[in-house]
Amino acid sequence: MLLLVLKRILLGFITLFIVSLITFSGVEVLPGDACTTYLEREAYGAALEACYERLGLNTPAHERYISWAAGVLQGDFGYSLSGEMRINDVLGPRVKNSMVLASASILIGIPIALLLGIITALWRDKLPDIIISTITIFSMTIPEFISATLLILIVAIWLEWLPGIVIVPTGASISELLPNIILPVIAISMIMTAHMARMVRSSVIQVMASDYVQMAILKGVPYWKMVFKHVLPNALLPAINVVALTIAWLLGGVVVTEVVFNYPGLGRLVIESISNRDLPVVQALAIILASIYVSINLIADLMTLMLNPRLKSLQIKK
Amino acid sequence: MDSAIQIINNLTIGFTSQKGKQISILKNISTTIKKGETVGIVGESGSGKSTLALAMMGYVKHGLYTISGECLFHSNNLLEMKNKDLENIRGRKIAMIPQNAGQSLTPNLKIGYQIDEALKLHTDLKKEERDKKISELLNKVRLPSPEIMAQRYPHELSGGQQQRVAVAMALAGNPELLLLDEPTTGLDVTTQAHVLELLNFIAKDTGTSMVYVSHDLGAIAQVSDRVIVMYSGEIVLDGPVRSILKNPIHPYTFGLLKSIPKLTSPGLPDSMSGSQPQPGTIKTGCSFYERCNLAEDKCKNNSPTLEYIDDLNTSVRCFKYKELINVKETNLDIVKSINNDVLQNEILDISKVSISYAKQKFIDQLLNKIDDSNPTVQDINININKGETLALVGESGSGKSTILKSIAGLLKTKDGMIKFDKDKVLSNDLKMRDPGFLRAIQLIFQNPDESLNPNHTVEEIVSQPLRLYFGLKGDELKQKIIEVLEKVRLGEFYLTRYPRQLSGGEKQRVAVARAFAAKPDIILCDEVTSALDVSVQAAVLNLLQELKEDFGTTYIFVSHDLAVVRAISDRVAVLYQGRLCEIGPSKNVYQLPSHPYTEVLLGAVLEPDPDVKPKLVAEDIVEEMPPEKGCSFQGRCPRILGDICKNEVPPWQIGENGNSIRCHIKVEELKKQQNIN
């Protein structure tokens, strides 16, 4: 069991290593480099040489990769170009802000998704299912940038209930952030919740049709006891991995939504740094997003492993 | 004794088709289950027998509904009862033992919990009493160390053990009526015999009434007092077990009994033509009309009613049953024996073959180390002559399919060599094999649903080998496809059909056609009839035999069913845990003296005759791994000698009938011991 966990963690690190290689070499092969971008028209002669010297760009690529990677391992992403700030200082508050947004969406989205999924499955083809399923399918098909824009139009502009864009400094505290994130959270969690609810629904329906549920009914187990003891544990197990994928996928949604709402998080930073050609920051972001992705999937795998008696005993036997 | 427990009156259950038409699955079923009685309900797939059993618990599957009639349990109609009241009857008064216990036990709950749940619901026992009762129940179904068993999850048990747990769970509420839905289908022969014996014991011990649903007349014969035969949602015959099985007066039952291969009379069984009509297709007349030998015009337009015949105590739904009353039992015996032209010309030589499923670990691969401990299949030596049918028999895990896969090149052998046509060595690697050899060896799989591509028409499926091996195109190709299909008795009309539009038997015919299209020398048949109904099985066996006689093909036929093997093979090889136990001409292998394992297998075969009881000689323990040294059968052998069996691989001995037996016990001694029993 422990061996398996270690193996998974090792695999995660290998993935991250490959991601770092790809982003690093991607940045390398692009025409131009940090200095030409920074110096713009003055990028020639002595000024360029001095810049190369200062940023250490005149050493060979593999040496630069190693020193960069060593820095990353110690939690130091180096310097950003714009304003030559430490990337860590740029990232820190942004990461926090995005975390607040994402975790609020997850905390609200998952319970709602589970509830809706279970309700639609248990009342399959009846009125609650038809209504909820229509809504979930509808909200699944609208991309965030449209739903976000619509939300701003309706709630912020027509009804004037909530602010339409987020106007807080990057370093704002959580209590300052909270009233501002209501609309972004709704926009993000809509698609995610809909996806997960559909997934939970089909998983519950599948288990409800299984031989062991029929057997439980024929054994005289009361309905709700059957649902909680025989159906849900088995139906939600495969849902864990899908939930993880949805959360990972939510990262992409965060990028778009942050831009629409002008929210000072990672997503907006991605867009900003790409348009500023701030390559060190892009590199850092790629690594951070990849490690979030990897760790969420890792957690999901481990959870499935812990909860599934079948896999658990299989591992023990080995 | 005679008081009725359950009375079913004119029960009709059906569904509404997509076109809005009401279609019946069960039609006007009326019958009575008496106290202490065991009733067998027999029928082929689609006959409605499981729907009937579930209705007896007041359960109707999603999509189906009761059209008319009632199901009275102590004069309460279960089909109109509220769920709340049903919960008090299900598990307490009427309990179900499901077909596939492996899938019917909730995977995330321990065995003990699942039995405890039934006890909590249906008894007033306290916690300690319930714990004691759980052990008692597990003991009653003869599971070893009940306390440990209760702590296990369902997947940690073998198929036979899971079935026993299901029985224990059903007994927890002390029910008056037990419903058994194919409880032994899918179990190994020896396990099946043991489970049936247990059920018989429980019926006697507790006086519970039982309804035993099965497609297997052999199993029905062993447990039932009364038999109900169903066809196309109707009861066609209902009477005492002996009269039904020995003098079946309905032509369907007669045909069904004739299509079962039997150990006692070797040869190919007769097949019934056609297949059971789909629900909703029969409008007027007898539903068996199209397949019936005795049918006349009257049967086409008038539906016969269930008629009770006093002197036989039997009800029958047939206008012409009188013609069958005086038919003797021996007419059910098989007359068509096989007669293969076996040439003394070796076509396949399997020598010293070992196969291992153990994967090389990454580090071992780097160090080029080979894990040579205990391969799954070891030391197989078989020569096969041209035109012969060789059968490989054994229970699950005996390695019979593994050997087939290696011959086909789908699985690499670890050791040994397979030679084709005397001296051509078949490469271990499929990619290295000559296309000619690939054509020469074709495979037919167990389940045509999985072996036929659902997105290809029959034409595309059969055309593939023709294009691949013979490069046929256009009209010539089409002509050939039709020719091949006609060989398996499927007309041109099938060309544009998809597998899902065919019945089980038709699908398997397409699979046979695909194999024969390659004009192979050898066909490997992997349990080709075990997914089919008995009457269809007989038809496929007959077809295979005819094709063989036409083309002189060699068959290697893998099956767990000893009677099927007896019907079709010239020579039989018995396998246990990947090791050969016995090999020889089939008529000799089926005679004593034989290897103790063959003896156990033969003893467990269920004949469709209530007077022939199976002989249970060995425990039905499941071994996961073959033993590291000594005889492969040492763990279960009823005649084990001692240390010699545990340490030394037994030698081959030639039996007096020309079969080779691999055992430490001398053949003469085996004969003496086996004759006593």
Side-chain angles (χ1 to χ4, degrees), chain A residues 3 13 15 21 31 54 68 82 112 123 138 153 158 174 252 313:
Chain A
L3 200 76
F13 275 110
T15 316
L21 268 186
R54 191 157 43 87
W68 174 73
S82 43
I112 294 180
W123 277 272
F138 188 66
L153 181 70
W158 292 351
I174 294 182
S313 59

Side-chain angles (χ1 to χ4, degrees), chain B residues 316-383:
Chain B
V316 62
R317 188 187 292 275
C318 182
F319 293 123
K320 319 231 348 162
Y321 71 86
K322 288 196 181 98
E323 292 182 24
L324 286 167
I325 283 188
N326 295 319
V327 172
K328 292 256 164 52
E329 195 187 321
T330 45
N331 277 23
L332 289 170
D333 285 351
I334 290 161
V335 275
K336 210 197 283 175
S337 64
I338 58 160
N339 189 11
N340 286 337
D341 238 352
V342 180
L343 306 171
Q344 288 309 313
N345 201 351
E346 191 177 280
I347 191 154
L348 199 71
D349 174 16
I350 303 171
S351 64
K352 292 191 178 152
V353 164
S354 295
I355 307 158
S356 177
Y357 276 110
K359 269 194 205 141
Q360 243 180 340
K361 282 194 180 141
F362 184 61
I363 294 171
D364 290 345
Q365 235 166 18
L366 287 183
L367 301 171
N368 205 7
K369 231 171 37 184
I370 296 161
D371 173 34
D372 51 2
S373 67
N374 224 7
T376 318
V377 168
Q378 195 175 30
D379 199 18
I380 302 293
N381 289 297
I382 305 173
N383 302 319

